[in-house]
Amino acid sequence: MQKQIVILGVDIGRNLGWSKCVCTLRPELHINVSDHGTIVFDKLTADWMKQNYNEVLSVQRVRLNLFEEHLRKLINLNNYDCFTTEDVFYNPQCFSAYRALTLYMDVLERLVNNEKAKRVYKLTPTQIKKYISNYGHSDKTQVSQAVLNNSQITMKRPHDATEHEFDSVAVVWSFINEYILSDI
């Protein structure tokens, strides 16, 4: 097994939270979040629509196109060993969100599978919350606090991080525990 791996963790949605995590596996686990950010697609989409007259593309199509463009840049930014994200979930009160999440997930998987020949590892929201905070129904604040309080995680600029960035770090923590440490 490798001593160190570089993982891209993403929190897909209207805002794309991401984190580049350099994970030292031996002699003991440590995650160094060396870079992170949030891409706000509502603003990018509104700006694009103002600057580009069109009678064809819907707001949703423009957002999806921008999502793919920015995600491709993010994926190609580094030579990642692994890619991980929260799996798509269905909330009956938010069907349109479910539709958008499945489209975003399809773009993520297509880019990683076809262009990087790698798998996207997905974890359920409950798994992620349970691994990071020991409670499967934690709220966003509890997840953020659990990341900050974890002595095995160091994060560059934690005071600048959004909830989406903390979620992406929590995804990486959960991935390591579910897929890497369980095999040791």
Side-chain angles (χ1 to χ4, degrees):
M1 177 176 67
Q2 291 177 260
K3 181 181 176 185
Q4 197 173 68
I5 58 176
V6 181
I7 301 173
L8 176 64
V10 294
D11 178 35
I12 61 173
R14 260 195 136 92
N15 299 306
L16 176 70
W18 61 272
S19 58
K20 175 188 173 189
C21 299
V22 180
C23 306
T24 303
L25 305 172
R26 295 178 294 164
E28 61 184 37
L29 174 62
H30 183 78
I31 297 174
N32 178 23
V33 184
S34 61
D35 202 5
H36 53 88
T38 299
I39 302 169
V40 182
F41 286 104
D42 283 345
K43 178 164 179 14
L44 289 174
T45 302
D47 291 347
W48 191 96
M49 296 295 278
K50 287 178 190 170
Q51 296 172 8
N52 299 284
Y53 173 79
N54 91 86
E55 295 179 1
V56 176
L57 300 176
S58 68
V59 172
Q60 292 83 5
R61 177 55 57 197
V62 170
R63 186 179 292 117
L64 191 60
N65 289 347
L66 290 168
F67 178 82
E68 182 168 347
E69 175 187 328
H70 285 269
L71 189 60
R72 179 176 275 115
K73 287 178 187 173
L74 192 57
I75 288 170
N76 289 322
L77 197 58
N78 291 284
N79 189 21
Y80 295 104
D81 297 302
C82 301
F83 300 87
T84 188
T85 189
E86 180 180 78
D87 205 353
V88 173
F89 59 94
Y90 176 67
N91 179 343
Q93 285 77 33
C94 302
F95 179 75
S96 61
Y98 175 73
R99 179 183 182 270
L101 285 172
T102 57
L103 292 171
Y104 295 148
M105 183 64 76
D106 181 67
V107 170
L108 173 62
E109 285 187 299
R110 181 172 42 82
L111 292 175
V112 171
N113 295 164
N114 295 340
E115 296 182 15
K116 296 297 179 182
K118 294 190 179 188
R119 171 183 173 188
V120 175
Y121 292 89
K122 297 175 270 187
L123 296 112
T124 67
T126 305
Q127 280 178 301
I128 294 164
K129 292 171 183 175
K130 189 163 172 77
Y131 275 117
I132 196 67
S133 68
N134 294 322
Y135 178 59
H137 299 288
S138 300
D139 64 22
K140 296 278 188 186
T141 305
Q142 290 169 315
V143 169
S144 300
Q145 202 57 51
V147 169
L148 289 171
N149 292 340
N150 190 320
S151 63
Q152 294 175 284
I153 299 174
T154 55
M155 190 170 184
K156 179 181 172 184
R157 304 179 334 272
H159 54 281
D160 293 335
T162 67
E163 65 185 36
H164 307 290
E165 293 162 55
F166 283 114
D167 285 352
S168 71
V169 174
V171 167
V172 171
W173 175 261
S174 303
F175 163 75
I176 294 278
N177 282 279
E178 178 72 16
Y179 289 99
I180 305 294
L181 297 182
S182 65
D183 290 342
I184 296 177

